[in-house]
Amino acid sequence: MRMILKKKNKKHNILLIILLILTSVMILSLTFINYYSKKAYPILKSYAEAETQKLTILIINKAVTKQLYNMDVEELFKITYNKEGEIILIDFDTKKTSKVLSTMTSLVELNLRAVEEGKIDMLELPDNSLSNYNMDLLSKRIICAIPFGLTTGSSLLSNIGPKIPVKMSLLGDVSTNFSTEVVEYGINNALLKVLVNISVTTKVILPISTEDLNISASIPIGMKVIQGKIPNYYLNGFETKSNIVEWK
């Protein structure tokens, strides 16, 4: 009888030890996962935001380039001269400016929506604009896949581990406007720079979280040398916003 009780107690003790070991391993594993997740998340977030911003600005630049390819930027201006032939006033041509901004805004939105929805065949960009990107991933609405090994900080392990997909979603309006810079250029001359400014808010989507990201780009689209004194100009008042409509 005592032998039977001893065997039972011994078996019970072994099971208890195994249970304690398993419980300890689970607790340590969960603690490690929680600790490493907190450590890895800022790295993943930073990388995902950088890739989203890079792609968004690339699309904006290529869309603007396509829009301006066959356009003479000077057509956007109304220039007034005095009797000596000096420029005394530069202003926007309201009709042409509004049309260009509206078309540009729509084109940027169209291409960002195409990437968001994985509709790569609907992209309206110059050829090979996205040649450095994986088109198969883009067609699946994934702008990039981050190797989890990147969070280790080791170059040897950076490509090891599961791939974490990064997606983006367009939020709010695409806002577009012109601005100018006037700087001295040589003797008694000025250089007028015209820029198009585009801003957009996107949502960076990771499997574990989402983050809003405001992205802005200023793209120089033309320059004009002005001889004589710097004229008056009124070139900062045009802005266009898109009306975001979700594709069906």
Side-chain angles (χ1 to χ4, degrees):
M1 189 70 177
R2 289 181 179 178
M3 291 293 293
I4 295 173
L5 289 173
K6 284 183 179 181
K7 287 181 180 180
K8 286 184 177 181
N9 288 334
K10 186 176 181 181
K11 187 176 181 180
H12 177 75
N13 290 335
I14 292 173
L15 290 174
L16 184 60
I17 291 171
I18 292 173
L19 181 61
L20 288 172
I21 292 173
L22 291 175
T23 302
S24 299
V25 169
M26 289 180 64
I27 292 173
L28 289 173
S29 297
L30 290 172
T31 301
F32 175 77
I33 291 172
N34 184 56
Y35 166 79
Y36 196 76
S37 295
K38 289 181 178 179
K39 181 182 177 181
Y41 175 70
I43 299 174
L44 294 174
K45 175 177 174 287
S46 177
Y47 191 92
E49 288 181 349
E51 288 298 312
T52 301
Q53 180 164 332
K54 183 171 74 173
L55 178 58
T56 300
I57 290 178
L58 174 63
I59 290 173
I60 288 172
N61 272 279
K62 295 298 183 180
V64 170
T65 300
K66 181 179 177 68
Q67 170 67 17
L68 297 176
Y69 182 73
N70 292 316
M71 190 187 78
D72 183 359
V73 176
E74 291 197 13
E75 293 179 359
L76 300 177
F77 306 141
K78 285 183 176 180
I79 302 176
T80 304
Y81 299 86
N82 62 15
K83 293 180 180 180
E84 286 74 32
E86 294 178 329
I87 298 174
I88 59 173
L89 179 67
I90 299 178
D91 198 359
F92 274 133
D93 183 312
T94 307
K95 186 176 180 180
K96 290 182 179 179
T97 301
S98 298
K99 182 179 179 181
V100 169
L101 282 181
S102 179
T103 303
M104 194 178 296
T105 303
S106 297
L107 187 60
V108 170
E109 181 190 338
L110 171 68
N111 285 286
L112 290 175
R113 281 292 186 193
V115 171
E116 176 190 350
E117 299 294 333
K119 298 178 179 179
I120 306 305
D121 57 325
M122 297 189 70
L123 285 171
E124 293 190 16
L125 298 173
D127 293 340
N128 301 318
S129 294
L130 302 179
S131 58
N132 292 329
Y133 286 85
N134 187 320
M135 302 306 288
D136 289 335
L137 286 181
L138 289 179
S139 66
K140 297 174 183 176
R141 303 169 58 190
I142 299 172
I143 64 174
C144 69
I146 308 173
F148 193 76
L150 192 71
T151 61
T152 63
S154 170
S155 58
L156 294 175
L157 302 176
S158 60
N159 289 318
I160 295 176
K163 306 287 186 180
I164 301 172
V166 178
K167 298 182 179 181
M168 78 170 192
S169 177
L170 189 60
L171 299 175
D173 296 327
V174 176
S175 178
T176 308
N177 66 73
F178 285 123
S179 66
T180 60
E181 294 178 4
V182 178
V183 296
E184 290 186 5
Y185 185 74
I187 301 174
N188 200 32
N189 293 325
L191 181 66
L192 172 67
K193 298 180 181 179
V194 182
L195 304 96
V196 60
N197 306 302
I198 299 178
S199 61
V200 61
T201 302
T202 62
K203 185 183 289 292
V204 182
I205 304 172
L206 289 164
I208 53 177
S209 70
T210 61
E211 296 285 342
D212 292 353
L213 181 64
N214 297 315
I215 300 172
S216 297
S218 293
I219 306 162
I221 62 171
M223 292 184 290
K224 183 177 181 63
V225 176
I226 302 169
Q227 296 182 341
K229 64 179 182 179
I230 298 177
N232 296 319
Y233 62 97
Y234 304 91
L235 297 175
N236 293 304
F238 279 88
E239 180 173 353
T240 298
K241 290 186 177 181
S242 64
N243 294 315
I244 302 295
V245 179
E246 187 171 349
W247 289 356
K248 300 297 183 181

